[in-house]
Amino acid sequence: MNKKTKVLCFTDDTTGRDVEMMLPLRYFAEHFLNCEFYHALNIDIHEIYCQRPDVILQANTIGSNLYFQISKIAHEQNIPIFALISEGNFRTDGSFDYWGYNKDKKFYQEFICCWSERTAEFLKKEVPESKEKIVVTGGVGFDRFTVYKYLSREAFLRKYSSTQFSRVIGYAGWAFGKLDHPRGRNELLIWAKGDGSRLEWIEDQREKVREILKKAIEKNPDTLFVLKQHPQENSPERTEPVTNEMSGLAHYKNVLYLCGEESIHDLISVSDFWTCFESTSALESWLMGKETIFINPDKNFSRDQLYKGSPLVQNYSDFQNLIDEFYSRGKIEQFYDSDKKESRKELVKDIIGFGDGFNHIRASYYFQKTINNSRFTARNSQYRFRLWHFIVYYLIRIAGPFYNRAIFSRLYKFKKHLWIFENYKMENLNLLYKQYSVHLDEFYHSKGIKTENCFDVIKN
C-alpha cells in the first residue's frame, strides 16, 4: 500500500462550527484518499514542527489571527495548505471584509473554496490574481443536516426530565448578550457600521423579543420551549452570565435554556418547528424538513435574506396565532406559500450552493488535488523550529495536568485561556468523530458510494 498522506488539521475548538466542517472531510479522506489525521487547536502551532505533516487542513485562513499565522507559516515552509471558508454566506455588495485577519491580503491556501457561484464570481472580480484558485464546493458544514441521524425527542425529554411535554418549540438566540461586554459591544458596532445609535435599537429589540417569548411561554404551559443561546455571545475571558433575550426566562417550568450542552441539529430535530430573531439555523431547519418562524418586532433592518423563506411575526398575538395553527392543522400555511417555497429553494442555492449532503465530497475533490500536488511535485517542505510556538506548546502541557477551572479562572492570563486547557488533548473531537462515522457509514452505503465511484455523485 502507498504511504499514507499525513494531515495535520487545526481547529479553534473541539466542537462547533469549524469542527463540523472538518470531520466529514476527514471521513472521506481516510476512506478514499489514503490519509491519516492528526488534530490540534490552532494555538498549538508547534505541532507543525512536531508532526511534520504532508498537508495542513483548517476551516479557514481569515477568521482569526492564529488561522492566518498557520496559513502563512505553511506557505513559508512550503507545506501545502487546504482550507475551507467558515463564513461563506457573505454579502457581495462590497461591505464584507473577505480578508479578515489576513494582513498580507494574499491567499496562501491551494484553493479558495466558496459556498456558492454567487460568492465565487464576486471573489474572482475582487481578487483576479487568485482567479484560478477559486472553486465552488458548497457549504460543507451544512452536510450534517442531511447526513446525520439526530437525538430522538423521547431521549431528549428523558434526559431533561421533561417527558410530561408532547409539544416542543425551539428558538435560536441572536447575539443580544454582546451588549453587556466590551468586546461584544465592539463587535456589534462593527455590525452596525459604527453607528452607536443602533446599540439602542438592539437593546429595544432584545426587550421586545423577550416579551414575545415570555407571553408565549406563559400562555402555553403544556409546551416545552427550548431556548438556545447564540454560541458567540461568550468571549473567552467573560466569566459573568450572559444577559440576552432568553436568560430571564430560564426559571419557567416549561423552558429549557441551553448554551453549549446540545448541538443545534439535535435541538432542531426534537422541535415541532423552529423560531429565531435572525439565524442561519433557519436554513438548517429547512434542510431537516422543519418549518420556521422569524420573530422580528421591527422587520425593516439590514440582514441576510433568510427571512424571505419564513412567516414573520412582529408581536405575541401573531406568534400565538401561528402556534395555534400548527397544533390544530399540523402545519403553518404561510410557510408553504409559493413565494416562500421558491425563496427557500433560491436561498439554499445562493447561500450554501447545494443541500444534498455531498458538499464535503466536492471539497474533497480539491483536497485530493492538494494531496497530489504535495506528493508528486518537487516540494521541499521545511519544518522550522520557532521558539515562541515551542514555549506556548510546553506551557500548555506543563500547566494542563494541574488544570482546575475554579482556580485557573481567578488567575491573571490563565482566565482568558480556559478553553485551551479544557480542549488541547482533542478528546471531544475524537469522540464526536466516532459518533459521526456511524452516520456517514450509513449515508455512504445508502448512496452506493465506493472507492471506484467516490466522486461520481458530484458530477451531475
Side-chain angles (χ1 to χ4, degrees):
M1 181 180 289
N2 294 333
K3 176 179 177 292
K4 288 183 179 291
T5 299
K6 191 173 188 177
V7 182
L8 177 56
C9 180
F10 286 103
T11 51
D12 60 353
D13 207 333
T14 57
T15 60
R17 179 192 63 184
D18 289 358
V19 172
E20 297 287 356
M21 296 163 61
M22 295 292 96
L23 294 187
L25 201 155
R26 171 184 168 178
Y27 177 92
F28 188 94
E30 285 185 339
H31 283 73
F32 303 109
L33 304 182
N34 197 31
C35 293
E36 59 180 349
F37 271 67
Y38 298 83
H39 289 274
L41 293 177
N42 56 13
I43 198 169
D44 251 347
I45 300 177
H46 185 65
E47 285 282 16
I48 297 174
Y49 182 80
C50 294
Q51 298 297 339
R52 299 174 178 258
D54 298 310
V55 179
I56 290 175
L57 172 67
Q58 57 188 39
N60 67 74
T61 61
I62 67 168
S64 72
N65 188 50
L66 290 170
Y67 275 143
F68 169 64
Q69 281 186 53
I70 293 168
S71 72
K72 187 171 183 178
I73 288 169
H75 173 72
E76 291 171 349
Q77 298 184 11
N78 212 23
I79 307 168
I81 181 166
F82 185 82
L84 300 176
I85 295 181
S86 297
E87 295 284 357
N89 177 30
F90 55 82
R91 298 182 183 184
T92 54
D93 59 1
S95 62
F96 176 74
D97 180 12
Y98 48 82
W99 292 117
Y101 283 86
N102 185 336
K103 294 173 286 189
D104 294 355
K105 299 190 184 314
K106 181 178 180 180
F107 291 113
Y108 293 121
Q109 64 263 45
E110 299 292 309
F111 294 97
I112 303 164
C113 299
C114 294
W115 286 9
S116 67
E117 292 288 351
R118 171 182 64 86
T119 53
E121 290 305 312
F122 170 76
L123 283 181
K124 286 177 182 178
K125 293 176 183 177
E126 291 290 302
V127 196
E129 65 273 18
S130 297
K131 184 176 180 180
E132 298 305 314
K133 287 185 172 186
I134 298 172
V135 297
V136 177
T137 62
V140 172
F142 291 86
D143 283 356
R144 67 188 188 274
F145 299 102
T146 303
V147 175
Y148 300 157
K149 300 294 189 298
Y150 308 104
L151 186 66
S152 70
R153 176 178 294 189
E154 293 75 17
F156 177 80
L157 294 176
R158 284 197 305 271
K159 181 176 180 178
Y160 290 98
S161 301
S162 299
T163 53
Q164 69 271 32
F165 296 103
S166 60
R167 299 177 174 184
V168 181
I169 296 175
Y171 172 84
W174 199 68
F176 289 110
K178 290 186 176 185
L179 278 172
D180 305 317
H181 189 267
R183 181 193 290 193
R185 288 180 72 84
N186 288 335
E187 291 171 353
L188 289 175
L189 274 173
I190 293 172
W191 174 84
K193 300 179 180 179
D195 183 359
S197 67
R198 296 298 287 171
L199 296 184
E200 296 178 8
W201 177 87
I202 292 171
E203 173 63 32
D204 180 62
Q205 295 300 294
R206 175 167 69 175
E207 295 304 317
K208 288 179 177 176
V209 172
R210 178 187 294 138
E211 190 61 24
I212 292 171
L213 290 173
K214 179 175 178 287
K215 288 183 178 178
I217 290 164
E218 292 176 343
K219 298 295 183 181
N220 298 273
D222 59 342
T223 302
L224 180 66
F225 286 80
V226 178
L227 311 180
K228 177 71 164 67
Q229 181 190 355
H230 192 283
Q232 295 179 4
E233 282 184 322
N234 277 321
S235 300
E237 70 274 19
R238 183 174 186 168
T239 56
E240 70 275 12
V242 169
T243 301
N244 54 35
E245 75 273 38
M246 303 167 287
S247 53
L249 307 174
H251 65 281
Y252 284 96
K253 293 181 179 180
N254 60 330
V255 166
L256 277 178
Y257 174 48
L258 301 175
C259 300
E261 298 91 338
E262 303 290 346
S263 65
I264 191 72
H265 49 259
D266 279 334
L267 298 184
I268 294 171
S269 176
V270 303
S271 298
D272 293 318
F273 58 89
W274 193 249
T275 65
C276 63
F277 175 76
E278 182 192 23
S279 173
T280 55
S281 63
L283 184 147
E284 295 156 6
S285 301
W286 304 340
L287 296 177
M288 293 175 64
K290 298 284 183 173
E291 298 171 23
T292 51
I293 299 172
F294 275 63
I295 302 174
N296 293 152
D298 178 3
K299 62 181 180 180
N300 298 312
F301 66 98
S302 178
R303 55 190 164 151
D304 291 328
Q305 301 298 302
L306 282 170
Y307 71 94
K308 292 184 176 180
S310 303
L312 188 153
V313 298
Q314 293 182 262
N315 52 57
Y316 159 70
S317 178
D318 291 343
F319 188 35
Q320 186 62 55
N321 287 339
L322 294 186
I323 292 173
D324 292 340
E325 180 181 0
F326 180 87
Y327 287 116
S328 63
R329 299 185 181 182
K331 65 178 182 178
I332 301 168
E333 292 290 346
Q334 288 183 51
F335 184 79
Y336 297 98
D337 287 350
S338 58
D339 59 333
K340 287 184 171 53
K341 288 175 68 174
E342 186 61 28
S343 290
R344 290 194 293 275
K345 179 181 176 181
E346 291 301 314
L347 284 164
V348 168
K349 178 181 178 182
D350 201 44
I351 294 172
I352 64 169
F354 312 89
D356 54 13
F358 299 141
N359 290 333
H360 69 285
I361 301 180
R362 296 181 177 93
S364 295
Y365 174 80
Y366 295 103
F367 186 54
Q368 181 191 49
K369 288 181 176 291
T370 302
I371 292 170
N372 290 342
N373 192 27
S374 72
R375 284 177 180 165
F376 302 117
T377 60
R379 284 190 179 273
N380 183 22
S381 298
Q382 303 168 2
Y383 305 100
R384 300 174 195 157
F385 178 85
R386 294 175 182 246
L387 181 59
W388 174 245
H389 297 153
F390 170 81
I391 292 171
V392 171
Y393 177 90
Y394 276 97
L395 280 176
I396 293 170
R397 282 150 184 85
I398 290 170
F402 304 99
Y403 174 71
N404 180 289
R405 186 177 182 87
I407 296 173
F408 277 43
S409 63
R410 293 183 174 89
L411 299 177
Y412 181 67
K413 293 290 186 182
F414 282 95
K415 67 180 182 180
K416 293 184 179 181
H417 301 98
L418 301 182
W419 63 278
I420 299 171
F421 299 106
E422 292 174 351
N423 295 298
Y424 76 94
K425 294 181 180 179
M426 309 303 288
E427 293 170 340
N428 289 334
L429 183 148
N430 290 318
L431 178 61
L432 203 59
Y433 182 62
K434 288 181 180 179
Q435 295 172 353
Y436 287 169
S437 292
V438 175
H439 303 313
L440 285 159
D441 285 343
E442 293 176 359
F443 180 74
Y444 275 58
H445 178 73
S446 69
K447 301 297 182 182
I449 301 173
K450 301 177 181 178
T451 303
E452 59 271 19
N453 70 347
C454 60
F455 288 117
D456 286 356
V457 292
I458 62 172
K459 291 181 179 179
N460 295 330

